[in-house]
Amino acid sequence: KMALASLEVSEYHDWAKGAVPVCVPANKLSSFLDLVRPNVAFPDEVTVWGNALFATKLDYSVNSQDILSAAGEVLLAHFRDAFAECPDDYPAVLDLVKNRSGAKGKALFKPLRVALTGRDQGPELPGIVTIMGSEQVNKRFQQAFSLLESKS
C-alpha cells in the first residue's frame, strides 16, 4: 500500500485500469478508482471492489449474511425508505434511520455497508452511495431483502 500511496493519480489509474471489471461504468471509472484507492494493495482488489459496487448480483459471505440477519428486515426497510425519501442526501438518510430505528455506530453502519457491497469494511460509505447512485442502491436493498427472505 505504501508504494501505491506514493504514485501520482495518473500512475495509480494506469496501474489499476487493467483490473477494473467490465461492470464498472466508463463514466464512473476515475471516481471509482479514487474511491477504492485506500482499500487496494493488489490489482485483484480493484476487481473485487468493482464487482462489490457495480456487479448485477452480490455473493454474500457467511459473515455478511449473518450481519444482515442480525440487523433484520426492519433496519434494512428503514434504510430503503430513507434512501427513497432523500436519495441524494446521505447525512439525512442516516439521521432518519437513527431516529426511526435507534441504531447507531456499528449496528447502523455495518448492515448498510454489507447490504450495499456484500463486505463489512471498505471505502467510505458516502462515497459508495454517491458512486452507486440511487438505482443501484435500491437494487442492492432488494437483493438483501431477497437474501433474508430465503433464510426465513
Side-chain angles (χ1 to χ4, degrees):
K1 284 192 176 187
M2 296 291 289
L4 282 180
S6 68
L7 294 178
E8 295 292 327
V9 171
S10 62
E11 294 172 320
Y12 161 71
H13 283 208
D14 289 342
W15 172 86
K17 279 182 185 173
V20 174
V22 296
C23 60
V24 176
N27 65 335
K28 296 185 177 187
L29 178 60
S30 181
S31 298
F32 163 73
L33 291 174
D34 294 341
L35 176 67
V36 302
R37 184 175 184 171
N39 300 93
V40 299
F42 301 99
D44 64 322
E45 293 170 332
V46 173
T47 306
V48 167
W49 280 112
N51 288 323
L53 297 175
F54 297 107
T56 304
K57 187 169 179 0
L58 287 178
D59 290 321
Y60 294 102
S61 68
V62 171
N63 181 54
S64 293
Q65 292 177 38
D66 291 345
I67 290 168
L68 290 177
S69 293
E73 290 183 29
V74 173
L75 182 63
L76 292 180
H78 286 312
F79 273 116
R80 179 198 59 211
D81 296 346
F83 274 108
E85 292 173 44
C86 309
D88 299 318
D89 191 347
Y90 178 75
V93 166
L94 290 183
D95 286 342
L96 285 172
V97 176
K98 285 178 193 176
N99 291 333
R100 292 173 182 170
S101 71
K104 57 186 177 183
K106 287 183 181 182
L108 179 72
F109 295 106
K110 208 167 250 205
L112 173 59
R113 180 180 298 284
V114 169
L116 296 179
T117 68
R119 301 174 62 88
D120 64 357
Q121 55 187 346
E124 295 293 321
L125 279 166
I128 289 172
V129 169
T130 299
I131 201 164
M132 289 177 84
S134 59
E135 184 178 330
Q136 180 74 345
V137 166
N138 188 47
K139 287 178 182 177
R140 292 297 173 85
F141 281 117
Q142 290 172 356
Q143 187 176 347
F145 278 113
S146 294
L147 174 72
L148 291 178
E149 288 171 6
S150 72
K151 293 180 83 71
S152 57

